[in-house]
Amino acid sequence: MTEEAMAAALAAKNEEAQILGVVDITTGSDAKIEPCRLGEAIQFVANASILGYDLRAAMVFYGRPELHSLRRRDCEQLWSKYGETLLRP
């Protein structure tokens, strides 16, 4: 991601986000993840592989009307750079 795109995602950290494409490895089925704040969605996707999720197809959609999206690698990069700042209101 560019620095500009990362800064825009940080600025949007409180917008509602939807996570799709996450598979629970234990059941082999799509994980049902409720909409949440973008910062929380980034944290989840950046760390969910440790919790037993397959994130190869994971996407985070946010903004109105859901024009923006992040892939797993984007989330990992954002979490690495901003960390806990993404979770603060």
Side-chain angles (χ1 to χ4, degrees), residues 1 19 38 41-47 58-60 69-81 86:
M1 292 183 79
I19 305 169
L38 177 59
I42 291 168
Q43 178 195 29
F44 176 82
V45 172
N47 297 301
M59 293 286 297
V60 176
S69 64
L70 300 169
R71 297 194 69 60
R72 182 178 109 197
R73 184 172 173 89
D74 299 329
C75 292
E76 290 169 348
Q77 191 175 5
L78 285 160
W79 185 249
S80 176
K81 180 167 178 127
L86 290 163

Side-chain angles (χ1 to χ4, degrees), residues 37-63:
R37 292 177 46 251
L38 177 59
E40 294 166 343
I42 291 168
Q43 178 195 29
F44 176 82
V45 172
N47 297 301
S49 62
I50 297 167
L51 302 172
Y53 292 99
D54 178 349
L55 300 161
R56 286 178 282 184
M59 293 286 297
V60 176
F61 295 95
Y62 68 99

Side-chain angles (χ1 to χ4, degrees), residues 10 13 37 79 81-89:
L10 177 63
K13 69 182 182 179
R37 292 177 46 251
W79 185 249
K81 180 167 178 127
Y82 297 115
E84 299 278 327
T85 302
L86 290 163
L87 302 178
R88 294 186 196 129

